[in-house]
Every structure is written in structure tokens, then in C-alpha cells.
């Protein structure tokens, strides 16, 4: 079964996570914030040119930030002279001052063949002059060597390093390049597994905080909940509401308007928590209920962190 494409509203909101990358003042590619103060892009975006990338800068819709050589981590750190930069072709750029920007959320697993994905990045191939936000509609074809091939829109210069999102707005990989910059032949991306492996030590190595310091938005909390595979099931969301009601001492489930769409349902849950008579109690009950529902899910760490930030910390819990 093929997933539906990312909606326009979600696409516009998630573009806030996207950055453009320049080297020596020349636009080279795209990237995205995967953690507060940490940008992911393709290694060839910052390493394909000869010499050290000492004049790299990342530009977000809110401003520009220079990146020093010590703030760049690329794998591999240089190319081998072939047409395609070697696997995994990933890099991180530390931008410590951007702790309060929206960050993208990684999916729990690889996209299946046939899944429709959306690439969000920047390019010079739009009707507007200069470097502009751009969007590609692609479809996962399957493995192609160490990478995964996609079909659909033509992948143009500048979109390298873009995040590939599924219909839930979760990252499924990092766009590498095109099969043909002259035609609409799709291209390749570094799979999610390569990205998560590469990110394993990035926060420690770069001395960054692993989570935002600013209060999370409703969208941040919804994305964190969307990362739980169990939330795909309507009955699991009902179980979650039952548990929240129990932890709040209610004689019934936590009341949230029912919606068949998962994202819409979770948005309404988050909004209901925000407007409950005791917001802190409701958000903490949400985390505790999720912890009971899926005690070993790795997505709990991010949810706990975000709710801790929203409620002033977990001290005295």
C-alpha cells in the first residue's frame, strides 16, 4: 500500500526545519535541523570542493550562521574522485546558537518500496529568482547498492542534503543526488539506518545539548507522539486516553474530540492537555500513560524531554 503525500500545511510548517548551506559564499545544498543546534546535510555539500571547508555557513529563514571547521563532521571526510561521493555521504554542522528552532523527527524504520515521500530543501530551479525553498514529490523504488533509489520529480542541484519525509512528517532519509540533472529520473538517498548510525555520537562529539532548551510547541509534541508506531492504531489512542484519565483521577477517559486521522487526533489531544485546568498534570499524565502503554519504545526519551521542558522539569515528580 502506498502512503499519501505530505500535505501542504505540514510541508510549509516543516520547512521551518530546513536550512541552506553555502561554501565561500556560494550556495551548495540543503540541510535540516535534526537536533537543537545540529544540522544534517550531505557530506559532498561541504566536502566536494578541494581544500578545507573553513567558510561554510548555514542559512535559516531566521538568519545566517558561520560554521567553523571544528564544527563540521563528515563521513567520509573527503571524496575518492569518483562521480558519486562515497557512502554514507552524510555530515553534521554544529550551530550552537540555534537551540530554539524547530527540529525534524526521525521515523522508527525504513520506508517500504512504493511509499510516497517529500523532499524539502532549497534550489535555484523555481519560478522565483535566486535560492528559494523547494519541494519534490518522490516515490521509494527500493535498494540501489548501499543507497535507496527514488522515482518522481527531477532532483536538481541544491536539493542534496534535503530531508525525505513520509506522510506523517517523519524523516526517512537524506537526499543524495539525481540520476540525471537533465531529466525527471529521480535519484538516491542515504537510508534512515545510515543516518541514525551516523548521528549516534554526534551530540557527544560536538558538545551539544541533545534536546531543546526552549518550551516545545504543540507541533513538537505531536511529532514526538507520531514517532510511536502504536499511535497508528485507533484503539491504542483510546487506550492512551483511558490511562491519562486514570492518572488524572477522572472517573472516565480523558475527553478529546474523536478524529480518524492520527495527526489530527493527536493535535487535539495535545491541545486538550494544554487547556486542561492543570496543564502540568495533564502533560505528565500523558507521558506516564505512554510509558505504561509502550514501556520499551525508544521514542519515550524524546517525549519525556519535551514534556519536562513544557512543565518546568521533572524534579519532585
Amino acid at each position: 500500500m502506498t502512503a499519501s503525500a505530505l500535505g501542504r500545511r505540514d510541508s510549509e510548517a516543516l520547512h521551518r526545519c530546513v536550512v541552506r548551506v553555502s561554501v565561500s559564499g556560494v550556495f551548495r545544498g540543503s540541510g535540516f535541523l535534526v537536533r537543537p543546534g545540529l544540522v544534517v546535510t550531505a557530506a559532498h555539500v561541504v566536502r566536494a570542493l578541494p581544500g578545507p571547508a573553513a567558510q561554510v555557513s548555514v542559512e535559516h529563514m531566521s538568519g545566517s550562521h558561520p560554521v567553523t571547521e571544528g564544527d563540521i563532521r563528515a563521513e567520509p571526510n573527503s571524496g575518492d574522485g569518483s562521480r558519486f561521493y562515497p557512502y554514507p555521504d552524510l555530515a553534521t554542522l554544529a550551530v550552537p546558537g540555534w537551540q530554539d528552532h524547530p527540529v525534524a523527527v526521525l521515523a522508527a524504520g525504513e520506508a517500504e518500496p512504493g511509499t510516497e515521500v517529500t523532499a524539502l530543501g532549497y534550489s535555484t530551479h523555481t519560478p522565483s529568482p535566486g535560492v528559494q525553498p523547494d519541494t519534490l514529490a518522490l516515490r521509494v523504488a527500493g535498494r540501489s547498492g548501499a543507497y535507496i533509489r527514488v522515482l518522481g520529480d527531477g532532483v536538481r542541484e541544491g536539493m542534496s542534503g534535503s530531508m525525505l519525509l513520509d506522510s506523517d512528517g517523519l524523516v526517512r532519509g537524506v537526499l543524495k543526488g539525481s540520476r540525471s540533472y537533465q531529466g525527471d529520473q529521480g535519484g538516491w538517498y542515504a537510508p534512515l539506518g545510515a543516518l541514525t548510525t551516523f548521528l549516534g555520537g554526534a551530540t557527544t562529539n560536538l558538545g551539544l545539548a541533545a534536546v531543546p532548551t526552549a518550551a516545545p510547541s504543540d507541533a513538537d509534541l505531536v511529532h514526538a507522539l507520531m514517532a510511536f508506531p502504536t499511535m497508528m492504531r485507533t484503539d491504542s489512542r483510546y487506550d492512551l486516553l483511558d490511562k491519562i484519565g486514570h492518572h488524572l483521577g477522572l472517573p472516565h477517559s480523558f475527553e478529546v474530540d474523536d478524529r480518524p486521522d492520527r495527526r489530527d487526533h493527536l493535535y487535539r489531544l495535545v491541545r486538550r492537555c494544554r487547556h486542561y485546568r492543570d496543564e502540568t498534570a495533564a502533560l505528565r499524565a500523558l507521558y506516564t500513560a505512554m510509558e505504561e502503554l509502550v514501556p520499551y519504545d525508544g521514542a519515550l526519551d524524546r517525549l519525556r524531554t519535551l514534556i519536562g521542558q513544557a512543565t518546568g522539569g521533572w524534579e519532585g515528580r
Side-chain angles (χ1 to χ4, degrees):
M1 182 174 65
T2 302
S4 60
L6 189 68
R8 175 182 175 183
R9 182 181 64 180
D10 292 329
S11 177
E12 291 176 351
L14 288 165
H15 243 123
R16 295 182 300 152
C17 305
V18 178
V19 303
R20 63 189 198 185
V21 181
S22 297
V23 179
S24 299
V26 178
F27 169 60
R28 292 286 303 165
S30 303
F32 58 97
L33 287 153
V34 70
R35 293 175 184 166
L38 189 66
V39 168
V40 165
T41 186
H44 74 262
V45 169
V46 292
R47 294 303 198 209
L49 296 179
Q55 300 179 47
V56 173
S57 65
V58 293
E59 299 168 26
H60 186 264
M61 58 182 62
S62 63
S64 178
H65 190 95
V67 181
T68 66
E69 177 64 22
D71 289 329
I72 299 173
R73 175 175 172 254
E75 188 176 330
N77 201 42
S78 62
D80 58 6
S82 64
R83 176 187 173 194
F84 293 111
Y85 201 89
Y87 182 84
D89 195 5
L90 293 170
T92 52
L93 313 176
V95 193
W98 283 358
Q99 293 292 316
D100 57 349
H101 285 295
V103 298
V105 179
L106 304 187
E110 303 289 356
E112 294 293 328
T115 300
E116 293 186 5
V117 290
T118 303
L120 299 184
Y122 284 88
S123 83
T124 58
H125 298 273
T126 75
S128 303
V131 181
Q132 299 291 339
D134 207 353
T135 304
L136 302 177
L138 301 165
R139 185 177 72 259
V140 176
R143 284 281 174 179
S144 182
Y147 295 95
I148 298 178
R149 189 159 68 92
V150 285
L151 305 173
D153 284 346
V155 178
R156 306 305 188 204
E157 296 96 330
M159 292 297 288
S160 294
S162 301
M163 58 181 175
L164 282 174
L165 303 171
D166 61 20
S167 60
D168 292 326
L170 302 176
V171 176
R172 294 289 190 155
V174 181
L175 195 61
K176 174 179 176 62
S178 172
R179 291 187 64 208
S180 169
Y181 286 117
Q182 305 303 316
D184 295 348
Q185 299 185 29
W188 295 272
Y189 70 90
L192 178 66
L195 176 59
T196 55
T197 298
F198 179 66
L199 288 174
T203 308
T204 301
N205 292 344
L206 295 171
L208 298 173
V211 292
T213 57
S217 66
D218 291 353
D220 292 330
L221 292 170
V222 171
H223 283 310
L225 290 169
M226 294 279 285
F228 291 91
T230 190
M231 289 293 96
M232 295 179 66
R233 298 170 50 191
T234 303
D235 58 345
S236 293
R237 299 197 296 272
Y238 291 156
D239 288 344
L240 177 63
L241 296 176
D242 285 341
K243 291 179 180 295
I244 293 173
H246 171 74
H247 286 292
L248 290 174
L250 303 176
H252 48 71
S253 292
F254 193 59
E255 295 182 349
V256 174
D257 291 342
D258 191 16
R259 289 292 184 276
D261 178 75
R262 173 175 44 151
R263 182 183 293 274
D264 192 9
H265 200 187
L266 293 175
Y267 260 114
R268 290 172 184 273
L269 168 58
V270 169
R271 293 301 296 164
R272 180 75 174 89
C273 289
R274 294 286 204 184
H275 291 90
Y276 189 66
R277 62 177 179 268
D278 186 340
E279 177 185 348
T280 295
L283 288 173
R284 290 184 176 180
L286 167 60
Y287 173 78
T288 302
M290 187 59 77
E291 190 178 38
E292 292 178 351
L293 194 64
V294 283
Y296 304 110
D297 198 304
L300 284 168
D301 289 342
R302 177 168 175 77
L303 181 63
R304 177 182 173 84
T305 298
L306 291 175
I307 288 180
Q309 291 169 354
T311 59
W314 290 94
E315 293 79 6
R317 179 191 176 199

